[in-house]
């Protein structure tokens, strides 16, 4: 037997690693002539981020890179501190209380001045002029519950809270200006509390499954779902003026970009923002179309003849996929690049480690079990952990996916090499081969089918996990899935989920063909 199949496997993986890394790098951060615009992962913030991006593209000639839909305030703030973002939409109360850990004066003007001073002193960041509206947290109840229980203020929850079921946003349940601080200020308890995605709370309320939820002032769904907003009678919530949060070095690099963003100062009031949000949430229009129309109506952008109308945006799934074919093709390539690069890098590391452990069998099992602990870390938690270390975008996503891909290949490769046909090993030893020659020319080729089984498993896992990379701005097919979840748009969810599933099937099938090609000839023959 010869080691050609194993060498061929390593060569193919090195070639694939280069191709995968190139595909993934295609959507990574650009040059100094690029402005990176981010947003959080809810509809209004994504819409504002898109408005910033379109305004900059139209008035500055700069290349704008979008990192929309990042997983929450902390990740956006860490990204702009680390230079991964230049600007994203933020709210004064969130930045002051949740991000900087300060107390609110409850005066919008004073809070803004204090916030600007501390952001400049601590982080080299600043708030530009507010956009003209406040999007505060509010507590809402179903109208029938409000009538039945006589609820008018948040203080009234202390009387009836133990009978009510509630659902809150993930951030709201953790922030000091959210549920923990609210319960401390109002001294109430609820019968049940669950954390759910923003759009799902309204569905649960509409179905009568929950009684209480947190909402945003400018959310267009408040009226649609017949909710009653409870008065914040103790003035707990701070002011939440929306404004662009920017890196101060952006002014030095691209002063025209900062001046362009200032065109939006005072341009939006709460009523206008609520109407834009409602169109985005309920009509199925994309954030790009809604942003373009809003800027055009304000005279800040020329009307585009190619924008999608509301009637088009309500089209069926197949028509929607056709409309979005360019975006979906781009996201599919991003997804493929991330998955391929991570899988190949993980396979190379796992194969190397397996061959080393085969020579040190006493420590092999403890090492493999320790690596296996990585599989117990929730995917989104691992991605979030990468942000403070590596920022956002392709690099942290690749790192997390690489970590996930190692264990299945390591376990399979070590088992395959260790348990290679004993008779063949003995025969090779009897012929005078050294241990290293036996490993390279006998054990490794015989282990190819087992190794490829591990690679196929890792491939499917990697393709599936890569959908979460959208939460840290790495793109891929998770982008339409996340957007669809935020907007309760099944078409968008399926437009990302179906290609992702197809990629997983295709990866498994192609790796199966690769296994057949690499399998030593003697093992390919069916036993009679």
């Amino acid at each position: 037997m010869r080691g050609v199949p194993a060498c061929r496997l390593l060569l193919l993986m090195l070639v694939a690693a280069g191709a995968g890394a190139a595909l993934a790098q295609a959507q990574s951060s650009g040059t100094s002539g690029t402005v990176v615009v981010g947003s959080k992962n809810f509809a209004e913030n994504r819409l504002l981020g898109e408005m910033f991006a379109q305004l900059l593209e139209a008035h500055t000639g700069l290349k704008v890179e979008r990192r929309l839909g990042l997983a929450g305030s902390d990740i956006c703030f860490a990204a702009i501190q680390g230079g991964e973002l230049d600007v994203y939409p933020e709210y004064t109360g969130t930045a002051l209380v949740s991000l900087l850990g300060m107390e609110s004066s409850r005066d919008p003007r004073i809070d803004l001045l204090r916030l600007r001073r501390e952001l400049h002193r601590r982080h080299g960041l600043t708030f530009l002029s507010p956009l003209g509206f406040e999007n505060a947290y509010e507590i809402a109840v179903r109208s029938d519950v409000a009538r039945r229980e006589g609820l008018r203020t948040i203080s009234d929850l202390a009387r009836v809270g133990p009978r009510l079921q509630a659902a809150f946003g993930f951030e709201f349940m953790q922030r000091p200006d959210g549920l923990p601080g609210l319960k401390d200020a109002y001294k109430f308890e609820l019968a049940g509390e669950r954390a759910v995605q923003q759009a799902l709370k309204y569905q649960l309320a509409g179905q009568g499954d929950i009684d209480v939820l947190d909402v945003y002032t400018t959310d267009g769904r408040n009226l649609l779902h017949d909710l009653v907003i409870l008065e914040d009678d103790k003035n707990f919530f701070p002011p939440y003026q929306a404004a662009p949060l920017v890196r101060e070095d952006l002014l030095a690099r691209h002063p025209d970009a900062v001046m362009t963003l200032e065109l939006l100062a005072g341009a939006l009031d709460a009523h206008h923002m609520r109407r834009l949000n409602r169109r985005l949430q309920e009509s199925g229009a994309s954030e790009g179309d809604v942003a373009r129309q809003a800027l055009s109506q304000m005279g800040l952008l020329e009307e585009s003849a190619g924008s999608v109308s509301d009637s088009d945006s309500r089209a069926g799934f197949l028509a929607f996929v056709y409309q979005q074919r360019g975006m979906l093709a781009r996201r599919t390539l991003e997804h493929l690049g991330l998955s391929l690069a991570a899988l190949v890098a993980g396979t190379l590391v796992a194969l190397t480690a397996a061959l080393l452990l085969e020579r040190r069998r006493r420590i092999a099992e403890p090492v493999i079990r320790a690596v296996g602990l990585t599989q117990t870390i929730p995917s989104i938690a691992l991605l979030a952990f990468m942000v403070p270390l590596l920022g956002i975008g392709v690099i942290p996503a690749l790192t997390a996916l690489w970590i996930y891909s190692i264990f299945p290949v390591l376990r399979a490769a070590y088992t395959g090499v260790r348990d290679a046909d004993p008779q063949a090993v003995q025969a090779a030893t009897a012929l005078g081969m050294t241990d290293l020659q036996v490993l390279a020319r006998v054990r490794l080729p015989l282990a190819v089918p087992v190794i490829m089984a591990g690679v196929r498993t890792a491939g499917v896992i990697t393709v599936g996990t890569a959908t979460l990379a959208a939460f840290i701005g790495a793109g891929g097919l998770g982008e339409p899935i996340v957007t669809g979840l935020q907007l309760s748009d099944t078409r968008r969810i399926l437009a990302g989920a179906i290609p992702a599933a197809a990629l997983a099937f295709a990866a498994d099938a192609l790796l199966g063909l690769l296994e057949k090609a690499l399998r030593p000839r003697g093992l390919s023959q069916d036993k009679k």
Side-chain angles (χ1 to χ4, degrees):
M1 293 184 189
R2 298 162 54 195
V4 175
C7 295
R8 197 184 308 163
L9 173 61
L10 291 174
L11 180 61
L12 284 170
M13 286 191 297
L14 288 171
V15 172
L23 279 171
Q25 193 65 26
Q27 62 103 49
S28 62
S29 195
T31 65
S32 59
T34 299
V35 177
V36 185
V37 178
S39 83
K40 305 181 194 182
N41 60 338
F42 64 93
E44 176 181 285
N45 211 256
R46 290 181 64 108
L47 176 58
L48 292 174
E50 179 63 27
M51 291 174 72
F52 294 173
Q54 290 191 21
L55 199 62
L56 290 169
E57 287 172 334
H59 292 274
T60 66
L62 294 167
K63 178 183 177 183
V64 177
E65 182 178 335
R66 291 164 172 79
R67 297 282 182 84
L68 307 182
L70 301 179
S73 302
D74 290 333
I75 287 181
C76 283
F77 194 59
I80 200 169
Q81 286 178 274
E84 302 287 335
L85 297 179
D86 291 311
V87 57
Y88 78 92
E90 189 52 277
Y91 304 88
T92 53
T94 299
L96 190 71
V97 178
S98 183
L99 300 179
L100 297 185
M102 300 173 64
E103 292 288 333
S104 171
S105 69
R106 298 324 192 254
D107 184 316
R109 183 181 60 85
I110 293 175
D111 276 5
L112 180 60
L113 293 175
R114 292 173 61 213
L115 187 56
R116 282 176 168 164
R117 183 185 69 231
E118 290 302 312
L119 285 170
H120 168 73
R121 184 176 68 85
R122 299 188 199 181
H123 305 294
L125 306 173
T126 190
F127 262 94
L128 299 185
S129 302
L131 302 177
F133 72 94
E134 182 179 342
N135 186 11
Y137 274 127
E138 294 178 317
I139 299 299
V141 296
R142 299 196 333 260
S143 60
D144 60 316
V145 174
R147 289 191 299 270
R148 184 184 72 226
E149 304 290 354
L151 300 178
R152 188 181 60 83
T153 67
I154 299 179
S155 292
D156 293 336
L157 287 178
R159 172 171 48 83
V160 300
R163 299 198 295 269
L164 303 180
Q165 296 288 330
F168 301 110
F170 293 99
E171 270 199 43
F172 187 79
M173 293 193 73
Q174 306 297 327
R175 288 168 45 155
D177 58 332
L179 188 61
L182 188 72
K183 292 173 75 171
D184 185 60
Y186 282 95
K187 310 299 181 189
F188 67 84
E189 294 294 334
L190 298 162
E193 301 164 5
R194 66 179 102 170
V196 298
Q197 196 269 339
Q198 186 71 15
L200 297 180
K201 290 184 296 185
Y202 290 96
Q203 292 184 12
L204 292 172
Q207 296 166 3
D209 294 331
I210 61 169
D211 309 300
V212 184
L213 63 158
D214 65 300
V215 299
Y216 300 134
T217 307
T218 55
D219 199 313
R221 293 170 293 201
N222 293 339
L223 296 175
L224 292 177
H225 292 272
D226 196 21
L227 300 175
V228 172
I229 306 299
L230 299 182
E231 178 188 346
D232 181 13
D233 51 310
K234 293 189 177 180
N235 199 27
F236 167 76
F237 291 118
Y240 292 91
Q241 298 181 86
L245 177 61
V246 303
R247 292 182 58 82
E248 290 178 351
D249 65 2
L250 182 63
L251 182 59
R253 290 187 288 123
H254 303 297
D256 54 335
V258 176
M259 298 308 297
T260 296
L261 291 171
E262 285 284 17
L263 293 173
L264 286 172
L268 297 164
D269 59 28
H271 174 73
H272 190 185
M273 201 67 226
R274 193 176 296 113
R275 185 160 50 82
L276 293 177
N277 285 335
R278 181 170 177 179
R279 184 184 172 210
L280 182 63
Q281 293 158 350
E282 300 299 330
S283 74
S286 72
E287 60 214 15
D289 293 326
V290 176
R292 188 180 302 110
Q293 186 181 65
L295 292 171
S296 299
Q297 290 174 345
M298 289 186 282
L300 298 176
L301 200 68
E302 291 185 6
E303 187 75 51
S304 172
S307 61
V308 179
S309 67
D310 280 349
S311 59
D312 290 333
S313 68
R314 296 191 187 97
F317 173 68
L318 293 179
F320 175 80
V321 169
Y322 181 77
Q323 291 170 2
Q324 302 295 323
R325 60 192 181 280
M327 178 272 291
L328 291 173
R330 185 175 71 255
R331 296 303 183 193
T332 300
L333 287 176
E334 291 172 353
H335 201 97
L336 181 61
L338 284 170
S339 303
L340 183 61
L343 176 63
V344 173
T347 300
L348 290 171
V349 170
L351 272 179
T352 304
L355 296 178
L356 293 174
L357 290 173
E358 197 279 333
R359 310 295 295 164
R360 301 287 187 274
R361 293 190 181 186
R362 285 190 301 176
I363 65 169
E365 280 301 324
V367 170
I368 293 173
R369 290 193 188 104
V371 174
L373 291 176
T374 60
Q375 303 295 303
T376 68
I377 305 173
S379 308
I380 191 65
L382 183 61
L383 287 165
F385 179 73
M386 292 294 163
V387 172
L389 301 176
L390 301 173
I392 61 173
V394 171
I395 299 303
L398 276 177
T399 304
L401 293 172
W402 166 70
I403 290 172
Y404 267 113
S405 69
I406 292 175
F407 176 71
V409 183
L410 176 60
R411 168 61 74 186
Y414 174 74
T415 301
V417 171
R418 182 195 63 188
D419 298 340
D421 187 347
Q423 292 180 349
V425 172
Q426 289 175 3
T429 304
L431 290 172
M433 285 186 178
T434 65
D435 288 345
L436 189 58
Q437 287 174 326
V438 171
L439 177 62
R441 299 184 180 182
V442 180
R443 291 186 181 275
L444 189 55
L446 288 173
V448 164
V450 181
I451 293 171
M452 288 304 301
V455 173
R456 292 172 72 174
T457 300
V460 173
I461 291 173
T462 302
V463 170
T465 307
T467 56
L468 297 176
F471 282 113
I472 58 171
L477 290 167
E479 189 75 26
I481 295 174
V482 171
T483 305
L485 287 171
Q486 293 160 0
L487 300 177
S488 296
D489 190 339
T490 305
R491 300 169 310 162
R492 294 179 189 274
I493 297 172
L494 292 176
I498 291 175
L503 277 184
F505 279 114
D508 186 62
L510 290 173
L511 290 170
L513 294 175
L514 180 60
E515 176 188 341
K516 290 181 180 180
L518 296 174
R519 184 188 292 260
R521 190 172 304 163
L523 295 180
S524 300
Q525 297 173 356
D526 294 329
K527 293 182 179 180
K528 302 200 177 176

